[in-house]
Amino acid sequence: MNSETFKSQILIKRPRYANSRIPIIQAFANKGKSKSEYSQFGPIYELYIYAFILGLKRNLNLPLPNRNLTTEFIEVGKWKRDSTLVDFLLMIIFSHCEEIGFTWNQLEDMEEAQLNGVINDIITFIESYANGGLEYLQKEYEQNNLLNSPYMFIDLLAESCVNTLEYENPTTLVVEEQDEDLVTSTIKLIEQGETSNTEFKSTLRINLHTNQPDDKMELSCIKTLAGFMNTKSGTLLIGISDTKEILGLDADFKSFGNKHDLLDEFQKHLDNLIEKYMGNSAFAALALSFPEIEGKMICRLNVDFRKNGPIFVKNKGIEEFYIRRSASTKALNPSEMMSYIENHWD
């Protein structure tokens, strides 16, 4: 049996869920014209896939009760045809062949009865982890621990990826001392221009067209930091234009008025932005310095890839997810995020 035939046999199966999960399904899934309590979520099949992934990530393998206590779901292939979520589900299943009890080489030599047994085991695999994920959601829902946001499942998945080892996070940026190597390496980064590892921003907060503070400028810097944390280590240089012109931080400094220590005000404002948009856990991935290039002070932020889990940007009550692509920062939609997180923080 080839892989496409094997896949088609899985797509006609109808997984089941426990009747005891119906309340949580009614709370989360949209059914026809009926909107759920959490109206931003889609139909039951999406909830089922999300629950399966959560169960698998948290190792919550919970077998279904007796058949008379379960409800049959629609065929996998009807979970919105050509859905990337269904393909993603199958990709996860096929990466757990040994846990289910088969290898691709064995499939070629199996009789029909054995193949049917493997397919049934795959459906049981889906049902058990989905049941575990739904139980987890049900407990969190009953304890009022869930934040009603469009990215709830992404947040829960990200929590599952975080390293459980305790460590002390800094709650502010630590400024590195300036030395000759820092200046030399910064000049080299500027000369090389923007890349997937280096980004330039003219200012932290000032819109140079209006000469006024602008939230969009601040958010642009934050998105870049988050993109590096979620993709690979990199450097953000503030006070450098896209054309490599060394502008310095004077425009930002002037926005703080007649304060005694403008550099300190700049740093405190940057601290506040990071805490506001990404939370205190982001500080552990950042190193701050202020090299002087051609007599002008710029801000350099070295950013580490977050090995212990992804970072999200909280923008006007909505959590957003960013990565680096070439020399730019890109936002991912929920299905892209799920695949990306699964691949990068397995």
Side-chain angles (χ1 to χ4, degrees):
M1 179 182 291
N2 62 42
S3 59
E4 284 301 314
T5 304
F6 187 57
K7 173 182 174 181
S8 68
Q9 292 299 309
I10 296 172
L11 294 179
I12 63 174
K13 291 295 183 178
R14 300 167 67 101
R16 306 181 73 87
Y17 55 84
N19 293 340
S20 60
R21 307 303 175 203
I22 292 176
I24 195 67
I25 289 173
Q26 291 176 337
F28 282 90
N30 297 317
K31 301 169 288 300
K33 295 182 180 179
S34 175
K35 293 296 183 181
S36 70
E37 177 181 345
Y38 292 80
S39 60
Q40 64 269 41
F41 297 116
I44 296 176
Y45 83 86
E46 289 186 359
L47 174 64
Y48 199 86
I49 293 174
Y50 287 136
F52 165 74
I53 294 169
L54 277 173
L56 189 64
K57 204 67 182 173
R58 291 180 173 271
N59 197 27
L60 301 173
N61 188 324
L62 184 63
L64 289 178
N66 293 335
R67 192 174 183 85
N68 64 326
L69 298 176
T70 65
T71 297
E72 192 175 57
F73 197 24
I74 61 173
E75 296 96 324
V76 175
K78 291 184 179 178
W79 295 1
K80 191 175 182 181
R81 292 189 183 278
D82 301 319
S83 168
T84 56
L85 279 177
V86 173
D87 288 340
F88 180 57
L89 169 65
L90 294 175
M91 179 185 72
I92 293 174
I93 293 169
F94 294 156
S95 69
H96 287 77
C97 294
E98 293 185 4
E99 182 179 348
I100 298 170
F102 73 94
T103 66
W104 288 108
N105 290 335
Q106 290 172 331
L107 286 178
E108 296 178 359
D109 300 323
M110 284 185 182
E111 300 293 334
E112 184 176 353
Q114 290 177 294
L115 286 169
N116 289 335
V118 167
I119 292 170
N120 289 334
D121 287 342
I122 287 173
I123 300 304
T124 299
F125 178 81
I126 296 172
E127 292 170 336
S128 298
Y129 280 109
N131 191 37
L134 286 170
E135 182 185 66
Y136 171 76
L137 288 172
Q138 192 163 358
K139 288 180 178 178
E140 291 294 291
Y141 174 72
E142 291 170 352
Q143 295 171 13
N144 199 29
N145 291 333
L146 297 175
L147 175 65
N148 192 349
S149 87
Y151 301 103
M152 178 190 298
F153 288 106
I154 303 300
D155 294 343
L156 293 172
L157 184 61
E159 290 175 10
S160 304
C161 300
V162 173
N163 191 332
T164 56
L165 293 176
E166 293 186 0
Y167 61 94
E168 184 176 351
N169 272 329
T171 57
T172 186
L173 290 166
V174 178
V175 181
E176 296 182 339
E177 293 291 332
Q178 177 174 271
D179 57 27
E180 187 174 341
D181 290 340
L182 174 65
V183 173
T184 301
S185 64
T186 303
I187 292 173
K188 186 175 181 180
L189 287 175
I190 296 170
E191 291 174 345
Q192 291 173 342
E194 291 184 309
T195 68
S196 59
N197 301 92
T198 307
E199 177 85 2
F200 301 157
K201 296 295 181 186
S202 297
T203 67
L204 172 65
R205 66 190 304 237
I206 295 298
N207 184 326
L208 294 180
H209 296 290
T210 64
N211 289 319
Q212 297 296 321
D214 190 332
D215 292 346
K216 293 180 181 178
M217 304 296 107
E218 297 173 339
L219 185 56
S220 179
C221 289
I222 294 296
K223 290 176 180 179
T224 297
L225 297 178
F228 285 133
M229 292 184 201
N230 289 329
T231 310
K232 56 182 177 179
S233 299
T235 302
L236 170 62
L237 298 178
I238 301 174
I240 306 294
S241 74
D242 292 342
T243 58
K244 307 182 189 179
E245 181 183 358
I246 301 170
L247 303 174
L249 302 177
D250 284 349
D252 284 321
F253 284 168
K254 290 177 182 177
S255 70
F256 299 115
N258 297 320
K259 299 290 185 179
H260 175 67
D261 189 339
L262 295 176
L263 179 58
D264 183 60
E265 292 298 321
F266 179 96
Q267 185 183 341
K268 286 192 296 185
H269 187 72
L270 180 57
D271 279 356
N272 291 335
L273 290 176
I274 292 167
E275 181 180 3
K276 170 186 173 182
Y277 284 107
M278 296 188 290
N280 286 331
S281 64
F283 288 112
L286 299 170
L288 175 66
S289 57
F290 295 97
E292 289 190 14
I293 312 294
E294 297 181 1
K296 297 179 180 179
M297 180 180 291
I298 67 170
C299 174
R300 172 172 173 167
L301 281 153
N302 289 339
V303 191
D304 290 334
F305 169 69
R306 274 175 53 95
K307 295 180 180 179
N308 61 329
I311 197 82
F312 295 85
V313 174
K314 300 176 181 65
N315 181 20
K316 297 180 180 178
I318 297 176
E319 291 190 316
E320 301 169 344
F321 185 78
Y322 294 92
I323 64 168
R324 290 290 291 179
R325 288 269 179 87
S326 299
S328 63
T329 302
K330 174 181 173 59
L332 298 188
N333 64 41
S335 60
E336 290 173 327
M337 278 188 282
M338 290 180 66
S339 177
Y340 188 90
I341 289 173
E342 179 72 19
N343 289 331
H344 284 72
W345 291 278
D346 186 23

